[in-house]
């Protein structure tokens, strides 16, 4: 078990990601950890370095650079930085960590040059998808593996409150608040400061990762699209219906502009798109997507996240990110018999089907929720996740309490 000791002295487990890094150690691949700002990438590297040391790696063979720190911004070119890094490396295997490497001019060349060194095992992070949508992906095709890091899972969140025994209370807090590591720290020290922190983080992401990077002139169009997507969590949307809706309510935004801004939102990891999957035809559908927000707390600062409302979609948002953590490709299911919230294609080819409902209070509601699952004729597992404590099997569908499911360990 790997444990992260944060500044607040709360012991937060991030086992999933540490196990992945440990399994990839010394493999001839660049380990690329991506994710939204402040989701814990630097802390993950810090913890992994502790794991390396506990397994006998000497301090002199571990080299760390965070390019958000002033002392690492002095290099005029990537070649000088390369020379500096290599000069510190011994003949043994060296573990080199480059945090926020996209801030280095021509970072692609730096990464490529370090990778070819036989005595370097390379780990890098970045806070937007530019890291893997740039020349780097082409340059290093087949030579890197990406690990997408998210804010705290519910299990990690619970471990931050060791004296609280009521997981139902923590779940209500989790689904209506923020799971960013620092937001969790602030919540325990000064709850009134959580939303100001989230506002500052949100503004940084929108301004630095979207507006400045893409040199946008009309910030209001971007904000209206963010409002729309945040308010439509779990619903199928397309650039056309977003453009049509905005046209009715205010100054219009073209379909092409909407599509472009949606791409910027996903590349900043602020929202995650989910493609639609035709269950019967076993094929992906074009055009429409569902979108999920990386942290539900962001909806608070935009006055979208009202307590005890839209609970089904909030729960769906939580389940989506947990499915991503557990591995596989996640789609939204469609068939002529209805919708299935999530279709998961595991890396070994297995399929899993999930329906999510906040409560299933009566037989009519139950039948409605599982009807589309019952129509799936293959033998793959089918689950209904809800806050109910009934864990029976109904017509081949396994009912599971979602809190118990979120707290499951491998």
């Amino acid at each position: 078990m790997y444990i992260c000791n944060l500044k607040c002295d709360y012991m937060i487990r991030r086992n999933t990601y540490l196990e992945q890094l440990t399994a990839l150690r010394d493999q001839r691949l660049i380990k690329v950890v991506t994710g939204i700002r402040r989701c814990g990438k630097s802390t993950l590297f810090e913890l992994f370095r502790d794991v390396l040391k506990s397994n006998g790696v000497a301090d002199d063979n571990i080299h760390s650079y965070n390019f958000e720190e002033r002392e690492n911004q002095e290099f005029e070119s990537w070649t000088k930085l390369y020379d500096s890094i290599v000069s510190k490396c011994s003949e043994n295997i060296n573990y080199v960590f480059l945090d926020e490497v996209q801030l280095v001019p021509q970072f692609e060349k730096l990464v490529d040059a370090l990778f070819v060194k036989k005595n370097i095992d390379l780990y890098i992070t970045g806070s937007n998808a530019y890291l893997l949508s740039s020349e780097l992906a082409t340059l290093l095709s087949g030579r890197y593996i990406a690990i997408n890091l998210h804010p705290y899972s519910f299990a990690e969140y619970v471990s931050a409150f060791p004296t609280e025994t009521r997981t139902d209370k923590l779940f209500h807090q989790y689904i209506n608040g923020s799971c960013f590591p620092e937001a969790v720290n602030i919540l325990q020290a000064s709850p009134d400061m959580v939303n100001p922190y989230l506002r500052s983080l949100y503004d940084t992401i929108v301004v630095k990762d979207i507006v400045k990077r893409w040199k946008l002139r009309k910030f209001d169009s971007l904000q209206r699209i963010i409002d729309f997507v945040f308010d439509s969590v779990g619903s199928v949307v397309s650039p056309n219906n977003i453009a049509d809706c905005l046209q009715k309510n205010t100054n219009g935004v073209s379909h092409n502009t909407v599509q472009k801004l949606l791409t910027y939102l996903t590349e900043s990891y602020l929202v995650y798109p989910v493609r639609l999957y035709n269950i019967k035809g076993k094929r992906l559908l074009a055009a429409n997507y569902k979108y999920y927000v990386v942290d539900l707390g962001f909806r608070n600062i935009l006055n979208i996240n009202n307590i005890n409302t839209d609970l089904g979609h909030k729960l769906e948002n939580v389940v989506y990110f947990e499915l991503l953590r557990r591995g596989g490709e996640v789609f939204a299911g469609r068939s002529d018999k209805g919708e299935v919230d999530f279709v998961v294609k595991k890396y070994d080819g297995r399929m899993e089907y999930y329906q999510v409902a906040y409560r299933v209070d009566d037989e009519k509601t139950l039948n409605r929720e599982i009807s589309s699952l019952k129509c799936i004729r293959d033998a793959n597992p089918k689950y209904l996740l809800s806050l109910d404590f009934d864990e029976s099997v109904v017509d081949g569908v396994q009912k599971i309490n979602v809190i118990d499911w979120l707290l499951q360990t491998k």
Side-chain angles (χ1 to χ4, degrees):
M1 180 178 293
Y2 306 106
I3 299 177
C4 175
N5 192 352
L6 296 183
K7 294 178 182 177
C8 65
D9 293 326
Y10 291 103
M11 307 297 282
I12 307 300
R13 302 173 179 86
R14 308 223 74 179
N15 295 354
T16 299
Y17 307 107
L18 280 168
E19 288 171 1
Q20 291 175 14
L21 289 176
T22 300
L24 292 168
R25 175 186 169 183
D26 297 335
Q27 299 293 321
R28 286 301 296 164
L29 292 166
I30 300 169
K31 277 63 77 170
V32 183
V33 177
T34 62
I36 196 166
R37 290 174 181 268
R38 303 297 175 254
C39 68
K41 297 185 294 297
S42 298
T43 301
L44 179 65
F45 273 3
E46 182 180 347
L47 181 52
F48 184 58
R49 290 192 290 269
D50 290 341
V51 172
L52 292 174
K53 292 174 187 178
S54 69
N55 282 277
V57 178
D59 287 347
D60 290 345
N61 295 118
I62 299 175
H63 311 277
S64 303
Y65 300 82
N66 186 329
F67 296 106
E68 289 186 318
E69 296 177 351
R70 177 65 184 87
E71 55 266 34
N72 292 322
Q73 296 174 9
E74 61 181 328
F75 298 98
E76 297 176 0
S77 68
W78 73 267
T79 55
K80 290 184 177 180
L81 177 56
Y82 169 85
D83 291 341
S84 177
I85 294 172
V86 171
S87 69
K88 295 179 174 67
C89 292
S90 69
E91 293 181 358
N92 298 322
I93 293 294
N94 295 268
Y95 299 89
V96 176
F97 296 86
L98 307 179
D99 215 341
E100 301 298 343
V101 70
Q102 80 279 358
L103 298 177
V104 176
Q106 295 184 296
F107 71 91
E108 301 95 337
K109 294 181 179 180
L110 170 67
V111 171
D112 187 41
L114 289 172
F115 173 70
V116 299
K117 300 289 290 184
K118 300 296 185 183
N119 62 334
I120 288 179
D121 190 16
L122 188 58
Y123 300 78
I124 67 177
T125 77
S127 291
N128 56 58
Y130 172 68
L131 198 65
L132 296 179
S133 63
S134 67
E135 184 182 341
L136 181 66
T138 301
L139 192 65
L140 302 178
S141 179
R143 294 189 285 171
Y144 74 88
I145 186 167
I147 298 173
N148 190 226
L149 185 67
H150 308 120
Y152 288 156
S153 68
F154 181 59
E156 292 166 339
Y157 186 88
V158 168
S159 70
F161 300 86
T163 61
E164 178 56 68
T165 59
R166 288 187 52 191
T167 54
D168 59 331
K169 178 181 177 181
L170 290 175
F171 183 72
H172 186 267
Q173 192 171 279
Y174 180 78
I175 204 170
N176 286 297
S178 174
C179 54
F180 276 104
E182 193 58 38
V184 175
N185 295 345
I186 294 171
L187 177 65
Q188 297 173 81
S190 181
D192 291 342
M193 295 304 297
V194 172
N195 280 358
Y197 167 76
L198 290 175
R199 167 54 73 178
S200 176
L201 178 57
Y202 172 85
D203 289 344
T204 300
I205 293 165
V206 171
V207 171
K208 286 191 174 182
D209 293 340
I210 303 176
V211 175
K212 286 188 176 180
R213 179 187 161 198
W214 295 106
K215 298 179 174 60
L216 301 184
R217 291 176 295 175
K218 292 185 177 181
F219 174 77
D220 60 326
S221 296
L222 174 64
Q223 188 58 60
R224 282 184 285 146
I225 290 171
I226 292 173
D227 290 341
F228 186 98
V229 173
F230 277 23
D231 196 36
S232 304
V233 164
S235 299
V236 177
V237 298
S238 70
N240 278 334
N241 59 38
I242 293 176
D244 290 345
C245 182
L246 296 182
Q247 181 73 44
K248 294 175 183 176
N249 295 306
T250 184
N251 294 330
V253 180
S254 71
H255 167 276
N256 288 339
T257 298
V258 171
Q259 185 133 22
K260 181 173 62 176
L261 294 179
L262 285 172
T263 299
Y264 298 164
L265 290 177
T266 59
E267 287 192 353
S268 70
Y269 296 113
L270 192 59
V271 298
Y272 281 62
V274 180
R275 297 186 67 180
L276 305 187
Y277 179 83
N278 183 296
I279 296 172
K280 185 176 181 180
K282 299 187 183 302
R283 59 184 175 84
L284 293 173
L285 302 175
N288 297 346
Y289 288 82
K290 283 186 174 183
Y291 289 90
Y292 295 96
V293 183
V294 70
D295 185 83
L296 287 168
F298 280 143
R299 290 168 41 123
N300 292 333
I301 62 175
L302 300 182
N303 298 316
I304 292 171
N305 194 30
N306 297 316
I307 303 297
N308 295 324
T309 62
D310 199 26
L311 295 175
H313 284 139
K314 291 179 191 177
L315 182 59
E316 198 175 315
N317 201 97
V318 168
V319 168
Y320 168 70
F321 283 100
E322 184 62 28
L323 290 172
L324 284 186
R325 291 184 189 97
R326 297 187 184 193
E329 296 180 273
V330 183
F331 307 104
R334 289 291 181 274
S335 73
D336 53 1
K337 301 297 183 181
E339 302 180 1
V340 173
D341 289 327
F342 299 114
V343 176
V344 182
K345 184 176 182 180
K346 293 293 187 178
Y347 296 126
D348 60 4
R350 292 180 299 113
M351 304 288 283
E352 297 174 350
Y353 304 99
Y354 292 85
Q355 200 74 318
V356 182
Y358 196 77
R359 294 283 186 189
V360 181
D361 297 318
D362 52 53
E363 187 174 351
K364 181 179 179 181
T365 304
L366 172 63
N367 289 333
R368 183 182 70 241
E369 293 294 342
I370 68 172
S371 60
S372 55
L373 292 174
K374 289 164 56 178
C375 293
I376 300 172
R377 298 305 178 190
D378 63 44
N380 292 302
K382 306 169 185 66
Y383 303 102
L384 173 62
L385 303 178
S386 75
L387 284 174
D388 297 334
F389 290 98
D390 175 12
E391 299 210 343
S392 60
V393 178
V394 180
D395 293 331
V397 178
Q398 174 68 60
K399 298 171 66 179
I400 300 178
N401 177 267
V402 71
I403 294 178
D404 291 343
W405 178 78
L406 290 167
L407 293 176
Q408 285 176 357
T409 57
K410 292 181 181 178

